[in-house]
Structures are given as C-alpha cells and as structure tokens.
Amino acid sequence: MSQTATPVTHERFFVVDFGSQYCQLIARRVRELGCYAEIVMPRDLADRIDEAKGVIFSGSPWSAYDDNAPRIDAAVYERGKPILGICYGMQLTTHLLGGEVEHAEAREYGPARIEVVDSESRLFEGLDSELDVWMSHGDRVEKLPDGFLPIAKTHNAPFAAARHESKPIFGVQFHPEVTHTPQGTQILKNFLFGVCQASGDWTMASFIDEAVEKIRSQVGEHDQVICGLSGGVDSTVAGILIHKAIGDRLTCIFVDNGLLRKGEAQQVLSNFRDRYQIELRFADAGERFLASLAGVVDPEEKRKRIGHDFVEVFKAEARSVENAKFLAQGTLYPDVIESQSAFGGASVTIKTHHNVGGLPEELGFELLEPFRDLFKDEVRAIGRELGVPDTFVERQPFPGPGLGVRIAGEVTAEGLAVLRESDAIVREEIERDGHHKGLWQYFAVLAPVKTVGVMGDERTYENVIAVRAVESTDAMTADWADLPRDVLSRISNRIINEVRGVNRVVYDISTKPPSTIEWE
Ligand code: XMP
C-alpha cells in the first residue's frame, strides 16, 4: 500500500525528536499558537531544514556527550534558521558548538525559579525578571560555546537559558511546553512570532481546505474510495472530510460485530445515512462473531478471532464496491511515528489502537490518510469545524474487540445484553453532571463470577458488574477516578434495579500498572 502526506502550503516549524516524552507536546503547543508543526527525525534535519521557518530541538533521555546519543549535522547551525533547543536540545547545541556539558552534581527535577540576566533577549521579552519553570535534567551546561550569552540562571545552574550573540539560536534548560512552566507559552510565542516572525497561518479551517484539495487531486475524477468506520472519532471525521472532498464516490463500510455498546450501530447509521447522506454498507455480522467466540475464554484468542472475522467481513463488503482504488483510514500522527521513532519506539508513549486498522495489504488499496500529521485532539477540532455531532467527536476510546474484552470469560448473547445495559447506565450517570470530563475511559465490565444476594425475601445468585473509570493522558499509565459517592451510588442502584441478572456492583480501584485499563 502506498502512503500519502498531508499537503502543506503554510509555514512549517520542525520539532526535532531526540526521544523526549514531550516531543509531541511541543508540536501541539506550536499548533495551538497557530503555527504548523511537524516532527522530524534528527537524521533528516540537515536535508530538510530549508523547508522550515524555525526549528525546535526536543529533550532526550540521553546525554549529549554519550557516544550513541542522537545527533544532528552541526552544519544546520550555519543555515540561518532560528533554532530553539529545549533541555537536551540546548545541551546538544552547546556540545556540538564547542561548549561543555557535564553530569550535574545536583540534578534538577521539578519546579525551579530562574532569574533573567539578559534583558535584551527576544526570547524572554515581556516576561518577569524571575519566573517559575519546570526542570527535568541530570546534565547541565558548564561552559557556553563561543559567541553565546547567558539569558537566565538558577541557583544550581549558571546557564538556565542562553542565546547566540548575533544568530537566532537559543537554548533553555527547562521545559516551556509543560503547563508547570506558567509563562512557557509566552516563551514559545516569543520564539515563533518574535524570533521567527511567524504569521500564524495554521487554522483548522485552512487544514480542511487543503486536505479537501489534496484528497481530490489524489483520488482523481473517477476512482472510488472506501472508508472503514468504527464509530470512533478518527474514522468518523475522516469519512466526513473525504465525503466533503469527493461526495458520492465515497462508500463507507461499517461492520457491526455484535460487540458494540448500546445504541452505537444505530448512531453511526443515522449520522452517516440521514445526516450526511453518505453511502454506507452496513454489515450486520454479530451472529458470525458470536459463533466464532463460542467457548473461547482466553483474551488473546478472542482478539485473534474477532480480528480475523473483521477482516473477512470487511473484505467481502469492499469487493462489492466497484472501481474502489483507495482505502481511507483515520491514522493519527502517534500511529505513524510509533514505527519510526528515533530509537525504535521507546520515546513514544502515546499508543493509539486502530479499530479499523490492520487491514491486510493483499486488499490492494492505496491508502488515504488525511490525519497522518495530526493528534487526536486536533482531529476532534476538525470534527467540530465540520459540524460532526458531539456524540462522535467526544467519544471515549473504545477497543476494537469491543465488549468482547469487557466480558471476562466466554462471550455469550446473554452476557452481552447484561453488559450493554449496565454500561449504558454507567455512561449516563457519569456524564449526567459532566463527571466524564477529565476521564480517559469509563465503562462496565461483566465479571466471570456469580455471587449470592437477597432481593425481597428471595435468595439470588447472579452476575457481578464492575465499574471502571480511569484518568490517564496516554493509556500507558492510569489511575482510578475518585468519582463522587452519589454518582457511584446511583450507578449501583440503577444497575441492580434495572438490569436483570445483576445483584452486585463493584468499583475497580486498581491503577495501571500493575493492572491494565481493560480487564482482558
Ligand atoms: P490496557 O487495557 O492495555 O488498554 O490498559 C490501554 C488502552 O488500549 C485500549 N485497548 C485496545 N484497543 N484493541 C484496541 O483497539 C485492543 O485489543 C485493545 N486492548 C486495549 C484500551 O481501551 C485502553 O484505552
């Protein structure tokens, strides 16, 4: 399958990925300020630097003086482009240009206060003379290279920020991109708009216009596009954007695997068919999936069977679309760089599972991936701009295998019915007063046990529903949400009263690690 890049006719800023966990955050901050940012690998910078209006070097877990540390060609400093080195980015610049970087006796992690010593610096224009910043480094600059001047210091580090006396090269030892550096946004603004003279021409509306043009030129006048819908944000917004570009030459395929949440399939149908009049093939394959899952209790075996069935059903539907040459996917930027990060993936902590991804190459389509350079929250913003209803735009992540991995043990039609009703109550009650804001996921799980209860004067022996609600930023780690007692109490009462076959509700108070978010 071939891949496409997003068209870019506006100013570009490069964020060079030296392996920092904050790399993506830097790019996002730059975009929030109205400038287009793209992440670039160190080895590619020298070839591409002329395309950039300015460059930001990220931090890194490495030391600039390590033999295997990620480097760039020092010639980039001679190309006249503005450069801002953050943490390792500053240390690397120092190291490459003849200064000294050493392991610091007193490491600086967490909050620090810096004192500005150079009132002339454009990077700190309009800022207080002392400011709170967030540090996270074990090395420090001991001696600046020739031609560099200090801008700020802390009591531990003489060079908390520095600049070249005449070239637009800057370095900061702290992290302006994190919210713990309250004036960090102003520093980035000063770099982009003061030093680089950015015009701020990146908006969601301009992205949409360009993406529509690019899709039209890639697809041409006659070919058809297939888009696999999962019901999630990315594929929904991709489908609607592509429809805007090529109208009825788009056919969406939605596979109902019978493992969706209450009302989900109907929502997708009515959004695409009624609201947007988009051609939608609906494969009602629930029974097939259920038959494949009969008697299977091992979670990985369930995933395998669900994945296999999905591909088979999708293939059959896709074959029925004539002249289909392209397959559209809602691939996001984190999916793209996961496979090509500077050091083989360890630097990238955001992990997005693709519900409709993973289709085999043998399908023979060209890929259309309009969001390859974007983050999820940017796709949400595009969705809002396109008028996509909140029910889709704000949807919480939902795993590809769906409720199949939220029934611990064998998946049965009865189990699915109990879980679906319980899950709908969990979502409704948590969303009622906006408690879902700030949560990563919140859902019900059907536990693989029955317990004794008493209803009226009767003994019951019924199912247990577990409620899972977690806070997380990237799903790599998660904490259980401290939901108000009355919300938990309403959930419990309603499930036990309204869902036949449940006599106990428990709240999952496990963090990840050592638990995982899903039970399977
Ligand atoms: P865990 O359970 O590993 O989940 O803490 C982390 C995130 O990944 C989602 N998840 C999946 N998504 N297919 C998916 O598309 C899967 O098989 C799968 N397993 C877990 C989970 O919902 C959470 O957001």
Side-chain angles (χ1 to χ4, degrees), residues 146-166:
D146 288 345
F148 277 78
L149 306 167
I151 307 178
K153 63 177 184 181
T154 68
H155 70 277
N156 267 335
F159 308 116
R163 68 177 170 96
H164 192 274
E165 58 193 8
S166 55

Side-chain angles (χ1 to χ4, degrees), residues 429-448:
E429 290 302 332
I430 290 180
E431 286 164 14
R432 183 189 297 279
D433 294 318
H435 294 293
H436 63 296
K437 297 196 172 117
L439 295 187
W440 174 265
Q441 278 170 303
Y442 47 103
F443 53 87
V445 175
L446 181 61

Side-chain angles (χ1 to χ4, degrees), residues 300 303 351-356 397-402 405-406 440-441 443 468 474-478 512 515-520:
E300 287 315 300
R303 280 194 171 81
K351 187 151 185 72
T352 308
H353 295 261
H354 254 281
N355 292 350
V356 295
F398 185 60
V405 289
R406 292 184 179 169
W440 174 265
Q441 278 170 303
F443 53 87
R468 185 78 165 134
D474 54 15
M476 302 298 283
T477 61
K512 174 182 179 177
S515 298
T516 53
I517 296 176
E518 304 288 349
W519 274 34
E520 289 202 331

Side-chain angles (χ1 to χ4, degrees), residues 93-171:
T93 300
T94 304
H95 181 75
L96 291 176
L97 297 182
E100 278 170 29
V101 178
E102 281 174 19
H103 190 68
E105 298 236 324
R107 299 188 304 175
E108 289 187 297
Y109 285 100
R113 199 160 173 80
I114 62 170
E115 187 189 331
V116 179
V117 295
D118 169 18
S119 55
E120 304 277 288
S121 168
R122 283 179 292 167
L123 198 63
F124 281 59
E125 205 170 301
L127 299 184
D128 302 337
S129 57
E130 283 197 15
L131 44 144
D132 294 322
V133 298
W134 184 262
M135 296 278 193
S136 178
H137 63 109
D139 289 344
R140 67 178 208 180
V141 173
E142 291 295 335
K143 179 174 165 290
L144 292 173
D146 288 345
F148 277 78
L149 306 167
I151 307 178
K153 63 177 184 181
T154 68
H155 70 277
N156 267 335
F159 308 116
R163 68 177 170 96
H164 192 274
E165 58 193 8
S166 55
K167 296 176 187 166
I169 304 174
F170 298 82

Side-chain angles (χ1 to χ4, degrees), residues 418-419 421-426 429 444 451-456 458 460-467 487-507:
V418 165
L419 178 57
E421 291 306 315
S422 306
D423 182 70
I425 292 171
V426 170
E429 290 302 332
T451 64
V452 174
V454 52
M455 277 190 196
E458 297 283 318
T460 59
Y461 186 57
E462 293 180 335
N463 293 297
V464 177
I465 285 288
V467 178
V487 175
L488 292 171
S489 162
R490 272 200 308 270
I491 289 173
S492 166
N493 282 343
R494 280 195 59 197
I495 291 178
I496 289 173
N497 286 324
E498 295 173 29
V499 184
R500 271 285 166 86
V502 179
N503 68 359
R504 190 176 297 270
V505 175
V506 297
Y507 190 45

Side-chain angles (χ1 to χ4, degrees), residues 230 257 259-260 289 306 310 353-356 398-405:
S230 69
N257 57 11
L259 305 169
L260 302 171
F289 282 79
I306 294 168
F310 175 80
H353 295 261
H354 254 281
N355 292 350
V356 295
F398 185 60
L403 301 184
V405 289

Side-chain angles (χ1 to χ4, degrees), residues 8-265:
V8 181
T9 56
H10 33 67
E11 293 169 351
R12 283 171 194 239
F13 288 84
F14 287 166
V15 177
V16 183
D17 180 2
F18 291 107
S20 164
Q21 54 173 328
Y22 295 133
C23 200
Q24 303 187 44
L25 189 59
I26 300 170
R28 179 185 315 204
R29 293 277 177 262
V30 172
R31 289 184 188 164
E32 278 168 3
L33 293 170
C35 301
Y36 178 81
E38 193 177 320
I39 294 185
V40 167
M41 294 302 134
R43 58 181 173 271
D44 298 330
L45 182 63
D47 287 344
R48 297 193 53 198
I49 192 166
D50 292 338
E51 298 166 32
K53 185 96 179 147
V55 182
I56 299 178
F57 291 170
S58 79
S60 175
W62 294 77
S63 290
Y65 46 78
D66 282 346
D67 286 345
N68 296 328
R71 296 268 156 74
I72 40 148
D73 182 344
V76 300
Y77 296 104
E78 303 303 321
R79 307 276 276 275
K81 295 287 179 180
I83 292 174
L84 170 62
I86 294 177
C87 195
Y88 176 87
M90 174 182 181
Q91 294 159 9
L92 181 69
T93 300
T94 304
H95 181 75
L96 291 176
L97 297 182
E100 278 170 29
V101 178
E102 281 174 19
H103 190 68
E105 298 236 324
R107 299 188 304 175
E108 289 187 297
Y109 285 100
R113 199 160 173 80
I114 62 170
E115 187 189 331
V116 179
V117 295
D118 169 18
S119 55
E120 304 277 288
S121 168
R122 283 179 292 167
L123 198 63
F124 281 59
E125 205 170 301
L127 299 184
D128 302 337
S129 57
E130 283 197 15
L131 44 144
D132 294 322
V133 298
W134 184 262
M135 296 278 193
S136 178
H137 63 109
D139 289 344
R140 67 178 208 180
V141 173
E142 291 295 335
K143 179 174 165 290
L144 292 173
D146 288 345
F148 277 78
L149 306 167
I151 307 178
K153 63 177 184 181
T154 68
H155 70 277
N156 267 335
F159 308 116
R163 68 177 170 96
H164 192 274
E165 58 193 8
S166 55
K167 296 176 187 166
I169 304 174
F170 298 82
V172 290
Q173 188 55 77
F174 56 90
H175 289 270
E177 71 276 21
V178 303
T179 48
H180 310 295
T181 299
Q183 298 188 55
T185 303
Q186 187 59 43
I187 293 174
L188 292 175
K189 247 189 204 168
N190 286 346
F191 178 69
L192 298 171
F193 296 98
V195 177
C196 302
Q197 302 279 300
S199 64
D201 59 0
W202 163 260
T203 61
M204 285 306 159
S206 71
F207 173 86
I208 292 171
D209 290 345
E210 287 174 24
V212 161
E213 277 313 305
K214 169 78 194 214
I215 293 164
R216 282 184 187 146
S217 76
Q218 195 189 346
V219 175
E221 304 274 306
H222 309 291
D223 290 318
Q224 299 277 331
V225 177
I226 286 177
C227 179
L229 295 181
S230 69
V233 184
D234 313 333
S235 63
T236 298
V237 179
I240 289 163
L241 177 70
I242 293 165
H243 184 252
K244 188 176 163 78
I246 58 163
D248 59 11
R249 283 188 293 130
L250 170 72
T251 302
C252 291
I253 295 177
F254 180 61
V255 176
D256 183 352
N257 57 11
L259 305 169
L260 302 171
R261 288 166 293 187
K262 188 177 179 183
E264 201 155 21

